[in-house]
Amino acid sequence: GAGVSQSPSNKVTEKGKDVELRCDPISGHTALYWYRQRLGQGLEFLIYFQGNSAPDKSGLPSDRFSAERTGESVSTLTIQRTQQEDSAVYLCASKTSGASNEQFFGPGTRLTVL
Amino acid sequence: SQQGEEDPQALSIQEGENATMNCSYKTSINNLQWYRQNSGRGLVHLILIRSNEREKHSGRLRVTLDTSKKSSSLLITASRAADTASYFCATDEWGAQKLVFGQGTRLTINP
C-alpha cells in the first residue's frame, strides 16, 4: 500500500507569510506525528495526534505553529507569520496504535523562508 | 528537547569495514529504535530493541542495549557504499507515545 505522503515537497516563502503543510498518513494508522529538522540536526517533536484524543502539542515552539487532523486521516501543519528561523524540513510520521512504536515517515517538506 | 546523543557525530570508513555508532539516553525507556535517513529527507526504520532485550540482529545490523548504562550501539558489518546515510537512535519513555531522537551520526562509506 501507499506510504506516508507530504505536500508540497519544497516550499519557498517570504518572511511574514503563512504556510500550510499537508500530511497523508498510511490508511488505518491512528497516530500521526509532526517533526522539525533543521539542517544537520536531529528531529524535534512538534505535535502528536492519536485518534480522537486531544493532541499532544507540547513540542510546538510558538503560537505561530498550529496543526489539525481530520479524524484519522489528513493533517495540516500551519505556520503563521513565518520567520527565517522556521526554515527546516518538516517531517510527518504515522503508526498503528499497537505497542510497537515503529513510525513510518513521509519524505518531508523542505521549507525555506527568505 | 533531545534525549539521545549519538557518538560519533560523523564517521568515515572504507567499504567492507564495520561501522559502529553509539547512542546514550537519559531516562527509563520502553524501547529504543534506530532509523536511517538519506539526503535529509524521510527516515526509514531499521530495528527496534525492547528494554528487556540486550542484543538483536537483522541482516548486517546488530544492535545492543545496556539499560544500566543507558546506552545502545548499532553495528553495520561489511559496509557498502549504499550504507552512506545519517543514523538516528530514538527512545520512547514508559507511558509516552512520542519518540525522542538523537542528533544522528553521519556515516560515509568510501568505495
Side-chain angles (χ1 to χ4, degrees):
Chain A
V4 178
S5 62
Q6 292 185 245
S7 61
S9 57
N10 288 284
K11 176 71 177 179
V12 180
T13 190
E14 293 179 348
K15 178 181 174 181
K17 301 276 184 150
D18 298 351
V19 295
E20 193 172 275
L21 312 180
R22 177 186 169 109
C23 172
D24 283 88
I26 293 172
S27 178
H29 281 193
T30 57
L32 186 147
Y33 301 77
W34 283 99
Y35 296 91
R36 178 172 71 180
Q37 185 180 30
R38 292 195 166 109
L39 186 64
Q41 301 296 310
L43 277 68
E44 299 174 69
F45 166 79
L46 296 177
I47 189 169
Y48 157 62
F49 295 91
Q50 172 64 58
N52 294 319
S53 302
D56 177 351
K57 304 180 181 180
S58 61
L60 295 178
S62 76
D63 59 9
R64 295 187 297 105
F65 287 73
S66 63
E68 293 183 350
R69 187 181 186 193
T70 306
E72 294 185 352
S73 61
V74 172
S75 175
T76 55
L77 176 69
T78 301
I79 308 173
Q80 296 177 309
R81 304 180 303 280
T82 52
Q83 304 293 313
Q84 289 184 331
E85 68 208 39
D86 300 333
S87 295
V89 175
Y90 290 82
L91 292 159
C92 173
S94 70
K95 76 172 192 70
T96 63
S97 60
S100 168
N101 257 324
E102 177 183 350
Q103 297 185 13
F104 294 82
F105 281 81
T109 293
R110 184 179 301 279
L111 174 66
T112 303
V113 183
L114 302 177
Chain B
S1 63
Q2 297 293 322
Q3 171 173 230
E5 294 186 5
E6 279 95 339
D7 168 51
Q9 291 187 335
L11 179 63
S12 180
I13 62 174
Q14 294 300 120
E15 193 168 19
E17 294 181 339
N18 296 340
T20 300
M21 291 160 272
N22 303 296
C23 167
S24 61
Y25 57 92
K26 297 177 182 175
T27 64
S28 296
I29 62 172
N30 184 32
N31 61 57
L32 185 145
Q33 304 177 48
W34 284 90
Y35 286 81
R36 167 196 166 121
Q37 183 180 41
N38 287 81
S39 305
R41 300 309 286 256
L43 278 71
V44 174
H45 179 263
L46 295 176
I47 195 166
L48 179 152
I49 186 166
R50 301 193 186 281
S51 60
N52 61 353
E53 297 176 309
R54 292 297 167 257
E55 187 170 312
K56 201 162 184 180
H57 297 254
S58 177
R60 293 184 297 113
L61 304 180
R62 175 182 159 231
V63 170
T64 63
L65 179 65
D66 186 335
T67 53
S68 66
K69 295 180 179 178
K70 291 187 168 58
S71 67
S72 173
S73 67
L74 171 67
L75 168 68
I76 304 175
T77 60
S79 63
R80 305 167 182 169
D83 295 330
T84 294
S86 291
Y87 292 82
F88 294 88
C89 70
T91 56
D92 70 314
E93 300 174 16
W94 280 101
Q97 289 291 324
K98 59 190 182 187
L99 293 176
V100 179
F101 284 81
Q103 296 297 309
T105 292
R106 174 68 189 171
L107 175 65
T108 302
I109 308 298
N110 302 303

